Coordinates of all heavy atoms in Angstrom, one line a residue:
P56 N 29.4 -6.2 -15.8 CA 28.8 -7.5 -15.9 C 28.6 -8.0 -17.4 O 28.5 -9.2 -17.6 CB 27.5 -7.4 -15.2 CG 27.7 -6.2 -14.3 CD 28.6 -5.3 -15.0
D57 N 28.5 -7.0 -18.3 CA 28.2 -7.4 -19.7 C 29.4 -7.7 -20.5 O 29.4 -7.8 -21.7 CB 27.4 -6.2 -20.3 CG 28.2 -4.9 -20.4 OD1 29.3 -4.9 -19.8 OD2 27.8 -4.0 -21.0
G58 N 30.6 -7.9 -19.8 CA 31.8 -8.3 -20.5 C 32.6 -7.2 -21.1 O 33.3 -7.4 -22.2
A59 N 32.5 -6.0 -20.6 CA 33.3 -4.8 -21.0 C 34.0 -4.2 -19.9 O 33.7 -4.6 -18.7 CB 32.4 -3.8 -21.7
A60 N 34.8 -3.3 -20.1 CA 35.5 -2.5 -19.1 C 35.3 -1.0 -19.3 O 35.4 -0.5 -20.4 CB 37.0 -2.8 -19.1
T61 N 35.0 -0.3 -18.2 CA 34.7 1.1 -18.3 C 35.9 1.9 -17.7 O 36.3 1.6 -16.6 CB 33.4 1.5 -17.6 OG1 32.3 0.8 -18.2 CG2 33.2 3.0 -17.7
V62 N 36.4 2.9 -18.4 CA 37.5 3.7 -17.8 C 36.9 4.6 -16.8 O 36.0 5.4 -17.1 CB 38.1 4.5 -18.9 CG1 39.2 5.5 -18.3 CG2 38.8 3.6 -20.0
V63 N 37.4 4.5 -15.5 CA 36.8 5.3 -14.4 C 37.8 6.4 -14.0 O 37.4 7.4 -13.3 CB 36.5 4.4 -13.2 CG1 35.4 3.4 -13.5 CG2 37.7 3.7 -12.7
A64 N 39.0 6.4 -14.5 CA 40.0 7.5 -14.2 C 41.1 7.4 -15.2 O 41.5 6.3 -15.6 CB 40.5 7.4 -12.8
T65 N 41.7 8.5 -15.6 CA 42.7 8.5 -16.6 C 43.7 9.7 -16.3 O 43.3 10.7 -15.8 CB 42.1 8.6 -18.0 OG1 43.2 8.5 -19.0 CG2 41.4 9.9 -18.2
W66 N 45.0 9.4 -16.7 CA 46.0 10.5 -16.6 C 47.0 10.3 -17.7 O 47.2 9.2 -18.2 CB 46.7 10.4 -15.3 CG 47.9 11.3 -15.2 CD1 47.8 12.6 -14.8 CD2 49.2 11.0 -15.5 NE1 49.1 13.2 -14.8 CE2 50.0 12.2 -15.2 CE3 49.9 9.9 -15.9 CZ2 51.3 12.3 -15.4 CZ3 51.3 9.9 -16.1 CH2 52.0 11.1 -15.9
S67 N 47.5 11.4 -18.2 CA 48.5 11.3 -19.3 C 49.5 12.5 -19.1 O 49.2 13.6 -18.7 CB 47.9 11.5 -20.6 OG 48.9 11.6 -21.7
S68 N 50.8 12.2 -19.3 CA 51.8 13.2 -19.2 C 51.7 14.2 -20.4 O 52.3 15.3 -20.4 CB 53.2 12.5 -19.2 OG 53.5 11.9 -20.4
T69 N 51.0 13.8 -21.5 CA 50.9 14.7 -22.6 C 49.5 15.4 -22.7 O 49.4 16.3 -23.6 CB 51.1 13.8 -23.9 OG1 50.0 12.9 -24.0 CG2 52.4 13.0 -23.9
G70 N 48.6 14.9 -21.9 CA 47.2 15.5 -22.0 C 46.3 14.8 -23.0 O 45.1 15.0 -23.1
A71 N 46.9 13.8 -23.8 CA 46.1 13.1 -24.8 C 45.8 11.7 -24.2 O 46.5 10.7 -24.4 CB 46.9 12.9 -26.1
A72 N 44.7 11.7 -23.4 CA 44.4 10.4 -22.6 C 43.0 9.9 -23.1 O 42.2 10.6 -23.7 CB 44.4 10.7 -21.1
V73 N 42.8 8.6 -22.8 CA 41.5 8.0 -23.0 C 40.5 8.7 -22.1 O 40.8 9.0 -20.9 CB 41.5 6.5 -22.7 CG1 40.1 5.9 -23.0 CG2 42.5 5.8 -23.6
L74 N 39.3 9.1 -22.6 CA 38.3 9.8 -21.8 C 37.7 8.9 -20.8 O 37.4 7.7 -21.0 CB 37.2 10.4 -22.7 CG 37.7 11.4 -23.7 CD1 36.5 11.8 -24.6 CD2 38.3 12.6 -23.0
T75 N 37.5 9.5 -19.6 CA 36.8 8.8 -18.5 C 35.4 8.4 -19.0 O 34.7 9.3 -19.6 CB 36.7 9.6 -17.3 OG1 38.0 9.9 -16.8 CG2 35.9 8.9 -16.2
G76 N 35.0 7.2 -18.7 CA 33.6 6.8 -19.2 C 33.7 6.0 -20.5 O 32.7 5.3 -20.9
T77 N 34.9 5.9 -21.1 CA 35.0 5.1 -22.4 C 34.8 3.7 -22.1 O 35.3 3.1 -21.1 CB 36.4 5.4 -23.0 OG1 36.6 6.7 -23.3 CG2 36.6 4.5 -24.2
R78 N 34.1 3.0 -22.9 CA 33.8 1.6 -22.8 C 34.8 0.8 -23.7 O 34.8 1.0 -24.9 CB 32.4 1.2 -23.1 CG 31.3 1.9 -22.2 CD 30.8 1.0 -21.2 NE 30.0 -0.1 -21.8 CZ 29.6 -1.1 -21.1 NH1 29.9 -1.3 -19.9 NH2 28.9 -2.1 -21.7
L79 N 35.5 -0.1 -23.1 CA 36.5 -0.9 -23.8 C 36.1 -2.4 -23.8 O 35.7 -2.9 -22.8 CB 37.9 -0.8 -23.1 CG 38.4 0.7 -22.9 CD1 39.7 0.6 -22.2 CD2 38.6 1.4 -24.3
G80 N 36.2 -3.0 -25.0 CA 35.8 -4.4 -25.0 C 36.9 -5.3 -24.4 O 38.1 -4.9 -24.2
L81 N 36.5 -6.5 -24.0 CA 37.5 -7.5 -23.5 C 37.7 -8.5 -24.6 O 36.7 -9.1 -25.1 CB 36.9 -8.1 -22.2 CG 36.8 -7.2 -21.0 CD1 36.2 -7.9 -19.8 CD2 38.1 -6.6 -20.6
G82 N 39.0 -8.8 -24.8 CA 39.3 -9.7 -25.9 C 40.6 -9.3 -26.5 O 41.0 -8.1 -26.5
G83 N 41.3 -10.2 -27.1 CA 42.6 -9.9 -27.7 C 43.7 -9.9 -26.7 O 43.5 -10.3 -25.5
R84 N 44.9 -9.5 -27.2 CA 46.0 -9.6 -26.3 C 46.3 -8.2 -25.8 O 47.1 -7.4 -26.4 CB 47.3 -10.2 -27.0 CG 48.4 -10.4 -26.1 CD 49.5 -11.3 -26.7 NE 50.7 -11.4 -25.8 CZ 51.7 -10.6 -25.8 NH1 51.8 -9.6 -26.6 NH2 52.7 -10.9 -25.0
N85 N 45.7 -7.8 -24.7 CA 46.0 -6.5 -24.0 C 45.9 -6.7 -22.5 O 45.3 -7.7 -22.0 CB 45.0 -5.4 -24.5 CG 43.5 -5.9 -24.4 OD1 43.0 -6.1 -23.3 ND2 42.9 -6.2 -25.6
V86 N 46.5 -5.8 -21.8 CA 46.6 -6.1 -20.3 C 45.3 -6.1 -19.6 O 45.1 -6.9 -18.7 CB 47.6 -5.0 -19.7 CG1 49.0 -5.2 -20.2 CG2 47.1 -3.6 -20.0
R87 N 44.3 -5.3 -20.0 CA 43.0 -5.3 -19.3 C 42.4 -6.7 -19.5 O 41.7 -7.2 -18.5 CB 42.1 -4.2 -19.8 CG 41.7 -4.3 -21.2 CD 40.7 -3.2 -21.6 NE 40.3 -3.3 -23.0 CZ 41.0 -2.9 -24.0 NH1 42.2 -2.3 -23.8 NH2 40.6 -3.0 -25.2
T88 N 42.5 -7.3 -20.7 CA 41.9 -8.6 -20.9 C 42.7 -9.7 -20.2 O 42.1 -10.6 -19.6 CB 41.9 -8.9 -22.4 OG1 41.0 -7.9 -23.1 CG2 41.3 -10.3 -22.7
L89 N 44.0 -9.6 -20.2 CA 44.8 -10.6 -19.5 C 44.6 -10.6 -18.0 O 44.5 -11.6 -17.4 CB 46.3 -10.3 -19.8 CG 46.8 -10.5 -21.3 CD1 48.2 -10.1 -21.4 CD2 46.5 -11.9 -21.7
V90 N 44.5 -9.4 -17.4 CA 44.2 -9.3 -16.0 C 42.8 -9.9 -15.7 O 42.6 -10.6 -14.7 CB 44.2 -7.8 -15.5 CG1 43.7 -7.7 -14.1 CG2 45.7 -7.3 -15.6

Side-chain angles (χ1 to χ4, degrees):
D57 60 354
T61 299
V62 176
V63 296
T65 182
W66 173 84
S67 172
S68 63
T69 67
V73 180
L74 294 177
T75 299
T77 300
R78 298 259 293 169
L79 306 174
L81 293 177
R84 187 170 178 268
N85 50 69
V86 290
R87 66 175 178 279
T88 298
L89 295 176
V90 170

